[in-house]
Amino acid sequence: MPTKKNKSTLPRLRLGAGWSYAPAPESAASARINEQYELFINGKWQKPAKRAYIDSINPATEKKLYRAAVASEQDIDKAVVSARTAFDKYWKKMPANERGKYIFRIARLLQEQARELSVMETLDGGKPIRESRDFDVPMACNHFFYYAGWADKLEFAFPNRAPRPLGVAAQITPWNFPLLMAAWKIAPALATGNTVVLKPAETTSLSTLKLASIIEEADLPPGVVNIITGAGDTGAALVRHAGINKIAFTGSTAVGKLIQQQTAATTKKLTLELGGKAANIIFSDAPIDQAVEGVVNGIFFNQGHVCCAGSRLYVQESIAPLFIQKLKDRMATLLVGDPMDKNTDIGAINSAEQLEKINYYIRLGKKEGSLHYESAVALPKKGYFCRPTLFTKVAQSSRLAQEEIFGPVLAILTFRTEDEVIEKANNSPYGLSAGVWTDKGSRIFNMSRRLKAGVVWANSYNLFDPASPFGGYKESGYGREGGVHGLLPYVSF
Ligand code: NAP
Ligand code: MG
């Protein structure tokens, strides 16, 4: 057991009360945001048939940012028909190396306009500018670069087989990584010779609309990529359309199940990237300070709006008091506030609805009897914000430990043996990702073999690479995005 002197290990930074960082805001001026956006269909910006629009706000200020068109069935039909025509007329006939050049051009243009895209992503979604600038946008570029390289090498991806494109791919993305999710979907679809109709999430369409203008600038043949905006009904109508060959969906497990039911009796191919409740597992021989950083990165990164967030922390009993104290000390230094400030660690929660969902789970955790702790950081008066929060004394069967919260809320549990923690970690309807922190290589191999999770990070967390596949087990979905595996859902033989 730790002694009393272990209680506090870091000097406390009394941010707000004692001292603080000077503001370091990124300028919003680099983003040219239109007041209104139309639908990008057949290479042209077209008004929605019903002339309906929805507002999107900046969740850090609650102010309106722009309005986006709402695509109805008529618009969706137009988009699918134009994708089909583009498939038959241009895309499937084009030599593969030419297709690759277009994808490469998109990557270069994304890179050139990276600053504007980062600012848009942060203003629209609430994530810290540091993350959109250093993670979302460069990673999106890298996916286009990576898949540009595969376009004319498919025979090496599938040796002795003759891969053929499926046709028109309907793609639906969530609000947590809008540009990156669009890149994960569009790049492999184009590389394999498919055409696309993509619908971004209602609250965060801006970076995807900017991507549409980049695709226009890259001079892709009209209709190869169509971007249609709108809410859930637009997504549902796209899924129902008889003219699509494939659906790639990233979002909640509930909607994923609905889509699975709707497509069960059709020939539409389906891949689902759904929710998660990842176990981040700390053994007593782990490098403790690095592990604390990994846990912070795993759950507080992007406000916990991450499908693979390490939202269940399993700490070996012998180090639990020390580890939890170090974690609380680190949490006390996290800055919550203006997402445009380069010092900010935790930005705005994406919507009022999502903040209410997180607060519901915080209330529920208290009611279930778990011990609640949150940092004392001051929150901005306007906007949707949440302090980094943890719960100890969490029961394995509690809803806090079983359900996806999608916010900066960590459930901490303890364990004694390797077998016990594997059993507990796998006792979840989800299976997207996991983390293991230990000094022993043999234990890492044993754990990664036995954990039912698509990705297992060892002594690290939330690392991504376009060459590495990502995807889930169980209710976290099926199919892989990224890497050579990410080509498979877009071809038939
Ligand atoms: P969501 O509510 O399921 O929405 C995802 C997308 O589907 C949005 O574009 C949404 O449109 C649309 N949609 C809503 N209802 C639909 C329907 N009936 N048919 C077709 N499309 C429909 O999920 P979210 O709240 O945006 O995103 C959070 C979820 O995504 C979390 O569960 C998270 O774990 C998951 N996620 C998973 C991964 C992964 O790779 N596994 C990655 C990121 C996120 P509107 O938003 O406009 O309603
Ligand atoms: Mg918004």
Side-chain angles (χ1 to χ4, degrees):
M1 285 295 286
T3 57
K4 266 203 166 147
K5 70 175 187 295
N6 278 334
K7 255 196 138 179
S8 187
T9 51
L10 284 174
R12 283 187 192 279
L13 307 181
R14 296 199 183 283
L15 295 167
W19 63 276
S20 184
Y21 294 107
E26 171 71 49
S27 163
S30 60
R32 288 154 298 161
I33 302 174
N34 300 346
E35 246 175 63
Q36 180 172 309
Y37 288 87
E38 312 300 346
L39 304 167
F40 185 67
I41 298 175
N42 204 24
K44 290 192 278 294
W45 293 93
Q46 311 200 15
K47 287 201 183 296
K50 293 196 171 150
R51 299 291 188 268
Y53 293 85
I54 25 169
D55 290 345
S56 182
I57 59 155
N58 173 348
T61 61
E62 298 176 48
K63 286 202 183 111
K64 181 181 150 187
L65 202 58
Y66 62 95
R67 47 191 222 137
V70 177
S72 61
E73 280 189 355
Q74 224 175 315
D75 304 305
I76 291 166
D77 188 52
K78 228 162 98 182
V80 173
V81 168
S82 87
R84 173 68 55 196
T85 311
F87 177 70
D88 290 332
K89 212 162 143 191
Y90 315 110
W91 208 237
K92 75 173 180 199
K93 292 186 191 155
M94 190 180 281
N97 62 331
E98 290 301 317
R99 236 175 30 231
K101 283 186 206 165
Y102 279 109
I103 306 170
F104 188 77
R105 207 182 286 169
I106 298 172
R108 287 300 307 269
L109 287 165
L110 277 170
Q111 223 170 20
E112 278 171 30
Q113 299 175 47
R115 188 179 181 135
E116 183 172 10
L117 280 159
S118 320
V119 169
M120 284 180 158
E121 202 71 311
T122 286
L123 291 174
D124 200 17
K127 64 174 62 193
I129 186 74
R130 230 169 47 204
E131 270 169 31
S132 29
R133 184 195 63 191
D134 299 345
F135 180 74
D136 294 57
V137 177
M139 195 55 77
C141 296
N142 288 347
H143 271 267
F144 279 103
F145 278 124
Y146 176 78
Y147 282 109
W150 271 121
D152 61 353
K153 299 175 196 70
L154 295 178
E155 62 198 282
F156 301 104
F158 306 105
N160 302 319
R161 302 171 89 186
R164 280 178 287 119
L166 300 174
V168 177
Q171 308 185 321
I172 300 175
T173 55
W175 46 258
N176 58 343
F177 290 92
L179 183 69
L180 185 58
M181 293 299 106
W184 280 20
K185 292 191 160 34
I186 295 175
L190 296 185
T192 44
N194 298 275
T195 56
V196 166
V197 180
L198 183 140
K199 189 204 95 69
E202 167 188 357
T203 57
T204 55
S205 303
L206 191 57
S207 57
T208 311
L209 289 162
K210 176 72 188 165
L211 175 62
S213 75
I214 283 176
I215 284 166
E216 192 181 12
E217 209 178 325
D219 215 14
L220 260 75
V224 170
V225 177
N226 304 274
I227 305 289
I228 52 162
T229 46
D233 291 347
T234 302
L238 178 58
V239 165
R240 278 197 307 270
H241 198 289
I244 58 172
N245 304 100
K246 194 231 152 22
I247 301 165
F249 173 81
T250 299
S252 59
T253 294
V255 175
K257 284 182 180 175
L258 211 67
I259 295 177
Q260 201 171 19
Q261 286 166 8
Q262 287 166 351
T263 52
T266 72
T267 55
K268 294 168 190 169
K269 278 203 171 194
L270 177 64
T271 40
L272 297 171
E273 300 279 359
L274 309 176
K277 189 77 186 178
N280 206 354
I281 302 167
I282 321 289
F283 285 96
S284 60
D285 62 347
I288 304 262
D289 292 322
Q290 285 99 310
V292 168
E293 275 314 301
V295 170
V296 166
N297 172 27
I299 182 66
F300 301 130
F301 165 78
N302 201 28
Q303 303 70 252
H305 293 343
V306 187
C307 50
C308 50
S311 51
R312 282 185 296 158
L313 179 67
Y314 288 96
V315 191
Q316 203 155 22
E317 214 170 81
S318 56
I319 57 159
L322 169 66
F323 194 90
I324 293 165
Q325 187 55 53
K326 282 191 175 233
L327 185 58
K328 287 179 178 174
D329 289 342
R330 180 67 179 94
M331 281 164 73
T333 69
L334 294 175
L335 297 175
V336 183
D338 181 6
M340 289 288 276
D341 192 315
K342 290 166 210 128
N343 292 319
T344 295
D345 298 300
I346 301 178
I349 302 300
N350 183 260
S351 62
E353 192 188 356
Q354 185 59 24
L355 181 59
E356 178 40 40
K357 181 179 166 195
I358 296 167
N359 286 332
Y360 165 80
Y361 275 101
I362 292 175
R363 290 193 298 273
L364 182 75
K366 291 177 186 168
K367 227 163 60 196
E368 281 182 331
S370 301
L371 288 185
H372 168 257
Y373 169 86
E374 62 180 19
S375 86
V377 67
L379 299 184
K381 295 214 164 43
K382 236 29 230 122
Y384 313 129
F385 292 92
C386 180
R387 294 190 178 88
T389 302
L390 64 77
F391 282 93
T392 50
K393 301 218 181 305
V394 178
Q396 173 74 26
S397 58
S398 67
R399 289 181 62 194
L400 208 61
Q402 290 291 328
E403 296 177 17
E404 185 184 49
I405 301 173
F406 227 54
V409 180
L410 180 66
I412 304 184
L413 300 95
T414 59
F415 68 94
R416 289 185 182 170
T417 67
E418 213 167 300
D419 284 343
E420 178 192 349
V421 77
I422 288 170
E423 177 105 19
K424 284 180 164 172
N426 286 341
N427 181 357
S428 162
Y430 296 110
L432 193 56
S433 61
V436 178
W437 299 79
T438 174
D439 196 34
K440 279 204 184 80
S442 58
R443 182 180 274 154
I444 290 172
F445 285 119
N446 182 37
M447 297 287 293
S448 55
R449 212 179 51 245
R450 294 175 62 196
L451 285 169
K452 295 268 181 293
V455 179
V456 180
W457 285 291
N459 294 327
S460 60
Y461 208 86
N462 270 339
L463 295 183
F464 287 86
D465 190 280
S468 174
F470 184 84
Y473 269 76
K474 301 192 273 185
E475 293 202 7
S476 292
Y478 50 79
R480 294 293 177 264
E481 290 187 317
V484 62
H485 305 70
L487 296 166
L488 189 60
Y490 290 96
V491 294
S492 64
F493 301 100

